[in-house]
Amino acid sequence: MSLPYSLRTSITPPELELIATQQLIEIIPLIAIEKTAFISGAFGPLQPPRKAKIPLWMAINLKLRKKCHIVAPEWLSVEFLQSRLDEEINEPGFSKLPFRYAEISKVLLDVASDDIQNTDKIRSLLKDLREARQAKSREGLDQINRGELSVSNLCSMEINEIRPFFVHAMGILTHLHREASTEDQL
Amino acid sequence: MVYLPPPGTSRDRPSYSDAYAKILKAHRESPLTSASSVIMLVAPDVDALCAARMMAGLFRQDDVIYRIMPISGIAELERVRDELMTYNELHTLILFNMGGILDLPSAEWFGEFRTEVSVHIIDSARPQNLSSLFGGGENGERIIVWDDGGAERLLEERKAWEALMYEPEPDSDDEESNYDSEDEYDEDLDEEEEFEEGSSEGRKRRSLGDGNRRGKRRRTMEDRPHRMSREERDAHMARLEKHYMTGTWHGQSASGTIYILATLLERSDINLLWFAILGLTFQYTTSRISRDKYDDYQSIYSDEVLRLSPPPPVGEQSITSINPDDHGIRTTDELRFMLYRHWTLYDAMFHSSYIAGKLGIWKERGRRKLTGLLAKMGFSIPQTQQPYPHMDMDLKRSLVQKLDDIAPEYGLIELSYPSFTKFYGYRSQPLSAADAVEGVSALLDLAGGVKMEVEVEGSRNGGEWFGGGKLWEVHGLVAKTKWTIEEDRENIRPGGQPTTVATNVEKAEGGEDDDHTVKKEAAWWIHNFWVAFDALADIEALRHSLNLSMTLHRAIIRQGTSIIDKQDIRTMRNHRVVVLTQGPDLALFSHPGVLSRLALWLVDALRDKLPGKVVSTRTKRKSLPFVVACLNESSSSYIVVGVMAATDFGDVRKNEFGLAFLDAKERCNARTRHSSFDTSILEINQADLPVFLETLCEGSGY
């Protein structure tokens, strides 16, 4: 891999984005395409004005060439994100969000901002969500112990963020624990 | 040959979308399609740049691989044409703002190309060459002219052209062939007649065919061989001459044509509309079209803006973006000051040619008048010396209103015209169409080739230590050293004076051969072209270029005021001449684009001071002909620009200097070269200039 050494320990965000764009999303096509076979599967046929589900990468491609309109997923709306944000602030655990919400929302806001309502409010809500969750995961990292750790509802970007530190820290903790237990035995 | 009328005139005529579909079809079906199958040749002006950008966008959406080649002038076009002949995979050529006047089906241009190659011409310059429009046969079918409706009205010219083309000489002996060809022509005429129901029964038509509508009847009726008589022939020739000789003017902008295509394909969007607006504004601010025509197109585009852009909020927010994704366009009123939102109000008024003329800025009295006007409007002197963004908000809001109230006292009317502004979300301040056009044309003229110093903001009144300027560099690029320049950094004068160190003369290399110089010169304008092309889509680069444009304007003012002060304008019998042989900015003005701006500035400034002259023999309208010549020391030649201005602000006249120059050149055998597509710009050898100017005076009517 051609990345600098420090970045090789985890996946980079653009790669995560690429993985996320494999998810299916609903579109309203403007042109007709027959059922076509791609490497990841066969999609289509696209018949305007009927809605169809195609992978996000294909939807982005068509949208950039003005050949479709993207239907925003229900979670990318002000009400949903606002309720999740309230939950996040008031409760100690992480609220349930789509696993790859960060990547998908970034891509959709870049490409299809005209298909989404209230984009500036959504951007600010997403930012708030990220900050709230980041604060919680920082607190959580303080309390790592060697025992079992279960955290639910972390999303892929957040997992990716803490993975290098987390793995390294757990490794050292295990090492210390093993030394401590061998010392005990001695 | 095929000329495409604008869509909507009649269903069964081919229109822009059919031509576009043809290009797509050729691209998809040809087995040899490669990167050189579709080539766009683009002239170096803002309108052609915008049109090329729009076309490139449409192609990219349709997955067509294309190539763009900038062409500076007819000589370059010839050279490229020879090169293009050898491309086997070429099947479409598109020409933007060039070639309208050339006889394209002839062997000299594209007659020799293979028949699969189709040539599309999208040119705003008129008059158009009649063989390109009406030429028939397989050879002519390949040339497709995208027209704006003007060619529909050339019925008489078409008849005249066809008559002269197909009819043999009046005293030919061969009666048989005469008869046959006459029959062919009659068939043609029949088809035309059926087609053009109700068109006027011209004198010519009656004499040619007795106004008959059936070919059969005519064939049996006619026993005497019908030859065109001498008078008819002369009448046709006169008609054609009138078409070509009335001077040059401009029709619909190339970018407007492409926008219509996009609308037909139902793919118009806000970016394409913005480019079309830029093309139109360019035509208006460089006096290529009149105010009335501008208003017509502007109202069409403002309807489009309402259709495509989200409705603007009223009141305060109308001058800022409403949200970060706001990339829309809104209509605004544009003042006639040059780039007024980007430097101080005083400077903007000082540098605009209209105000300069009315108030007489080159005299001290005029400058006092200007400050007086500003004071009357309630703007204090410190306020007007502030850069515009730092001016008080209430002053900015009341600016247009106060101007309308107070300016007429000084004779300044019509200070604003309707125009557009584009918003860029939170990334940047909104940019008006006129400013964008200024920035892009400054880049086209000057991005490389001449070192320009731009003023650093805040450097006036003793802000900076070492001079007020820094060298302007292309945004985002490290200054390339592909031109070996004699760097003269030690001797830069403080105070923002541009240093015009000759850059494209390679003293360091000591190159003697012509090729080397030519190659270096060619490099700079191609570089400029691409910088400007990129800047069209990049708001940061465009903003950066506004500084360059301001320096350019300062230089023009300096030169213009010194010309008027020294009373350097010589009045000849029918036009006025200015010859520039010295001055600090000489290298700057040896570029044809910059020189034409200077000519336009002078005309605007002197419009009221000088009486108009009746120049043309055909119409009795007065106009102000102006010829400006500038010495290019490095090539020891003069660049000559001829401008025909109207006596009223906002009007245009047909520019007859192209013909006058050609005429004079033939008569005095001067060594000249046309360096651009505009026939009123000419490069002439140093020694031949005085003779040339004299012959110009003696010329028919000049």
Side-chain angles (χ1 to χ4, degrees):
Chain A
M1 202 152 55
S2 55
L3 286 176
Y5 204 71
S6 56
L7 287 178
R8 284 191 209 162
T9 45
S10 62
I11 316 181
T12 65
E15 288 174 345
L16 280 178
E17 194 182 305
L18 184 66
I19 298 172
T21 52
Q22 285 180 340
Q23 283 195 352
L24 294 182
I25 192 172
E26 204 165 25
I27 63 157
I28 305 172
L30 295 174
I31 53 158
I33 302 184
E34 304 157 357
K35 201 167 168 75
T36 348
F38 295 99
I39 293 178
S40 48
F43 304 106
L46 296 180
Q47 287 156 352
R50 286 223 304 241
K51 293 188 187 178
K53 267 195 179 309
I54 55 172
L56 187 55
W57 56 265
M58 193 166 151
I60 295 169
N61 192 292
L62 290 178
K63 174 77 186 171
L64 284 175
R65 291 192 288 159
K66 303 204 198 329
K67 294 187 160 65
C68 78
H69 289 301
I70 295 190
V71 175
E74 340 56 54
W75 56 264
L76 198 60
S77 61
V78 176
E79 309 84 39
F80 186 93
L81 291 176
Q82 185 67 53
S83 70
R84 288 293 189 257
L85 181 63
D86 295 332
E87 213 182 293
E88 196 77 52
I89 293 177
N90 298 329
E91 287 166 34
F94 290 92
S95 58
K96 183 149 180 54
L97 280 175
F99 185 54
R100 299 185 193 273
Y101 82 96
E103 300 93 304
I104 298 183
S105 60
K106 171 195 174 286
V107 162
L108 286 181
L109 283 172
D110 276 345
V111 166
S113 56
D114 48 341
D115 289 329
I116 304 173
Q117 266 77 4
N118 283 338
T119 49
D120 44 345
K121 190 89 176 83
I122 289 188
R123 269 188 232 264
S124 74
L125 282 173
L126 284 169
K127 183 94 180 135
D128 291 337
L129 266 174
R130 168 170 160 72
E131 280 169 6
R133 291 167 79 96
Q134 200 176 34
K136 281 189 191 164
S137 50
R138 260 195 226 123
E139 281 171 42
L141 282 178
D142 275 341
Q143 296 153 12
I144 292 182
N145 57 9
R146 211 209 133 251
E148 178 202 339
L149 183 75
S150 85
V151 180
S152 52
N153 293 333
L154 269 185
C155 292
S156 76
M157 290 283 264
E158 290 148 6
I159 293 178
N160 194 43
E161 251 181 342
I162 63 179
R163 182 183 295 124
F165 173 75
F166 193 82
V167 167
H168 196 57
M170 288 299 264
I172 292 185
L173 280 174
T174 318
H175 197 64
L176 287 174
H177 183 84
R178 208 180 309 132
E179 282 189 3
S181 59
T182 49
E183 270 182 28
D184 281 344
Q185 282 173 12
L186 283 175
Chain B
M1 163 288 216
V2 181
Y3 63 90
L4 301 175
T9 46
S10 53
R11 287 287 132 167
D12 47 346
R13 300 282 284 283
S15 76
Y16 300 159
S17 48
D18 296 317
Y20 185 72
K22 186 168 164 234
I23 299 180
L24 289 186
K25 186 157 157 283
H27 177 88
R28 287 173 187 156
E29 291 175 3
S30 145
L32 289 174
T33 293
S34 78
S36 298
S37 319
V38 177
I39 296 191
M40 300 199 260
L41 303 177
V42 187
D45 65 71
V46 178
D47 184 25
L49 228 64
C50 291
R53 189 117 206 167
M54 293 163 83
M55 198 66 152
L58 288 176
F59 277 155
R60 199 172 301 127
Q61 286 171 3
D62 282 326
D63 293 326
V64 173
I65 321 175
Y66 58 89
R67 198 172 129 191
I68 300 183
M69 302 176 70
I71 311 273
S72 65
I74 301 218
E76 180 79 13
L77 183 61
E78 277 175 17
R79 197 184 59 79
V80 168
R81 174 205 156 261
D82 291 332
E83 197 187 310
L84 290 178
M85 283 257 275
T86 60
Y87 288 179
N88 271 330
E89 61 270 5
L90 175 69
H91 56 71
T92 308
L93 260 184
I94 312 182
L95 273 61
F96 287 104
N97 274 356
M98 64 171 78
I101 193 68
L102 303 173
D103 182 4
L104 294 173
S106 80
E108 192 195 333
W109 288 106
F110 295 111
E112 305 263 311
F113 278 54
R114 301 174 350 261
T115 41
E116 301 89 47
V117 178
S118 59
V119 182
H120 300 254
I121 297 156
I122 306 171
D123 192 350
S124 63
R126 304 277 178 272
Q128 295 150 321
N129 188 295
L130 293 173
S131 347
S132 308
L133 283 177
F134 304 129
E138 210 185 56
N139 195 5
E141 292 275 339
R142 296 183 284 145
I143 316 283
I144 303 175
V145 178
W146 297 41
D147 186 61
D148 60 352
E152 298 274 281
R153 287 176 240 131
L154 292 177
L155 299 170
E156 298 290 316
E157 278 85 353
R158 179 184 192 144
K159 283 192 252 316
W161 182 82
E162 283 175 353
L164 285 180
M165 200 57 147
Y166 296 128
E167 198 77 0
E169 292 288 315
D171 31 7
S172 140
D173 284 334
D174 199 347
E175 289 180 31
E176 280 296 314
S177 72
N178 213 357
Y179 207 62
D180 286 344
S181 68
E182 171 245 345
D183 274 339
E184 254 177 44
Y185 173 66
D186 287 342
E187 307 278 17
D188 267 1
L189 194 55
D190 272 348
E191 283 168 23
E192 261 189 62
E193 286 176 39
E194 270 158 333
F195 209 56
E196 296 150 0
E197 294 282 343
S199 48
S200 62
E201 295 273 306
R203 167 179 51 94
K204 288 181 205 62
R205 216 175 347 136
R206 228 178 292 130
S207 59
L208 283 174
D210 305 308
N212 261 339
R213 297 210 164 226
R214 283 181 213 100
K216 278 203 185 127
R217 199 155 40 108
R218 191 159 1 158
R219 212 183 286 225
T220 51
M221 245 175 61
E222 216 105 67
D223 353 290
R224 54 176 171 80
H226 179 82
R227 290 184 196 131
M228 228 178 10
S229 61
R230 180 122 266 151
E231 308 88 54
E232 286 159 14
R233 194 177 187 76
D234 287 342
H236 288 316
M237 300 276 286
R239 179 122 238 152
L240 289 184
E241 250 200 54
K242 180 174 165 210
H243 175 78
Y244 286 124
M245 300 294 173
T246 36
T248 61
W249 74 101
H250 289 264
Q252 186 182 58
S253 62
S255 42
T257 313
I258 308 282
Y259 186 72
I260 294 182
L261 170 68
T263 323
L264 282 179
L265 298 171
E266 291 177 5
R267 291 204 281 188
S268 53
D269 80 334
I270 204 79
N271 292 321
L272 292 177
L273 178 60
W274 178 243
F275 289 136
I277 289 174
L278 288 186
L280 175 68
T281 314
F282 167 74
Q283 280 197 322
Y284 181 56
T285 51
T286 48
S287 303
R288 282 173 151 90
I289 57 173
S290 65
R291 174 67 189 262
D292 298 323
K293 252 206 193 166
Y294 173 79
D295 283 335
D296 289 337
Y297 281 112
Q298 198 267 342
S299 56
I300 297 177
Y301 287 148
S302 66
D303 290 336
E304 289 290 308
V305 163
L306 287 174
R307 185 172 74 93
L308 287 174
S309 190
V314 283
E316 262 319 300
Q317 287 204 307
S318 61
I319 45 172
T320 53
S321 316
I322 30 180
N323 63 38
D325 288 317
D326 179 15
H327 286 268
I329 301 179
R330 288 180 217 155
T331 38
T332 52
D333 273 328
E334 185 75 20
L335 294 172
R336 271 188 211 290
F337 313 147
M338 207 45 78
L339 298 171
Y340 74 96
R341 290 190 197 87
H342 304 278
W343 54 15
T344 74
L345 188 60
Y346 181 82
D347 267 343
M349 295 178 83
F350 189 77
H351 286 126
S352 87
S353 48
Y354 180 60
I355 302 211
K358 292 277 188 191
L359 297 180
I361 295 280
W362 48 88
K363 292 202 176 49
E364 185 54 39
R365 194 180 50 188
R367 287 189 269 268
R368 267 186 281 130
K369 259 194 187 171
L370 179 59
T371 32
L373 168 63
L374 287 170
K376 256 196 177 170
M377 293 198 305
F379 291 76
S380 62
I381 294 195
Q383 277 297 317
T384 58
Q385 300 283 10
Q386 293 268 0
Y388 189 84
H390 301 246
M391 252 170 62
D392 284 344
M393 275 308 296
D394 50 348
L395 287 180
K396 278 194 249 189
R397 262 175 256 145
S398 57
L399 180 62
V400 181
Q401 189 56 41
K402 294 235 181 80
L403 274 174
D404 279 336
D405 293 336
I406 300 183
E409 292 173 22
Y410 288 77
L412 300 165
I413 47 172
E414 268 191 39
L415 272 178
S416 66
Y417 60 96
S419 180
F420 302 90
T421 309
K422 182 160 194 341
F423 290 82
Y424 291 96
Y426 288 171
R427 260 199 296 162
S428 165
Q429 287 289 316
L431 192 63
S432 71
D435 296 345
V437 166
E438 285 297 321
V440 176
S441 41
L443 282 178
L444 264 180
D445 288 330
L446 296 175
V450 179
K451 285 276 194 218
M452 301 278 286
E453 263 201 24
V454 298
E455 189 183 352
V456 171
E457 192 179 304
S459 68
R460 292 199 205 179
N461 309 320
E464 292 272 311
W465 288 4
F466 306 107
K470 60 177 186 192
L471 242 36
W472 187 89
E473 278 169 9
V474 178
H475 176 84
L477 281 182
V478 176
K480 293 187 174 177
T481 48
K482 61 183 207 179
W483 309 287
T484 54
I485 321 149
E486 195 122 321
E487 290 272 90
D488 208 4
R489 289 191 189 274
E490 269 78 25
N491 299 333
I492 296 176
R493 273 173 288 155
Q497 302 285 329
T499 54
T500 54
V501 179
T503 59
N504 46 19
V505 177
E506 58 305 314
K507 293 187 198 151
E509 291 194 350
E512 299 290 343
D513 41 331
D514 240 5
D515 257 2
H516 214 48
T517 350
V518 166
K519 230 187 293 181
K520 280 244 173 320
E521 286 210 7
W524 71 257
W525 65 261
I526 294 185
H527 176 73
N528 289 1
F529 179 90
W530 288 114
V531 170
F533 195 79
D534 290 336
L536 272 181
D538 181 5
I539 179 61
E540 296 297 319
L542 206 47
R543 290 208 151 255
H544 196 65
S545 71
L546 291 175
N547 283 336
L548 186 63
S549 180
M550 289 195 262
T551 316
L552 176 60
H553 280 291
R554 260 193 271 270
I556 292 182
I557 299 288
R558 223 189 346 263
Q559 191 70 48
T561 49
S562 84
I563 289 177
I564 298 180
D565 266 339
K566 291 193 285 185
Q567 295 185 338
D568 234 350
I569 308 175
R570 299 194 321 241
T571 309
M572 304 290 174
R573 184 154 68 100
N574 272 319
H575 61 265
R576 298 197 162 82
V577 184
V578 178
V579 183
L580 301 170
T581 44
Q582 59 194 358
D585 304 316
L586 209 57
L588 186 60
F589 286 109
S590 57
H591 294 127
V594 183
L595 196 60
S596 348
R597 277 180 210 248
L598 177 64
L600 285 173
W601 187 92
L602 280 172
V603 161
D604 274 342
L606 297 173
R607 187 167 260 137
D608 296 313
K609 303 286 191 300
L610 307 171
K613 298 219 151 85
V614 178
V615 163
S616 166
T617 46
R618 301 175 198 279
T619 65
K620 289 277 169 272
R621 292 197 294 184
K622 289 190 169 193
S623 52
L624 287 170
F626 239 94
V627 175
V628 184
C630 174
L631 173 64
N632 185 346
E633 282 161 340
S634 54
S635 61
S636 60
S637 61
Y638 278 86
I639 306 263
V640 184
V641 166
V643 168
M644 182 81 80
T647 41
D648 300 313
F649 194 56
D651 206 358
V652 288
R653 294 275 183 273
K654 299 187 181 178
N655 192 336
E656 304 183 25
F657 274 112
L659 309 155
F661 283 172
L662 284 176
D663 212 22
K665 163 191 159 174
E666 272 166 28
R667 253 181 296 124
C668 69
N669 288 327
R671 284 157 287 173
T672 61
R673 201 159 52 121
H674 273 199
S675 49
S676 82
F677 286 108
D678 199 344
T679 43
S680 52
I681 300 179
L682 180 65
E683 204 177 319
I684 181 173
N685 213 297
Q686 192 169 7
D688 294 329
L689 184 75
V691 184
F692 180 77
L693 289 178
E694 275 176 31
T695 352
L696 199 58
C697 299
E698 298 158 15
S700 59
Y702 290 129

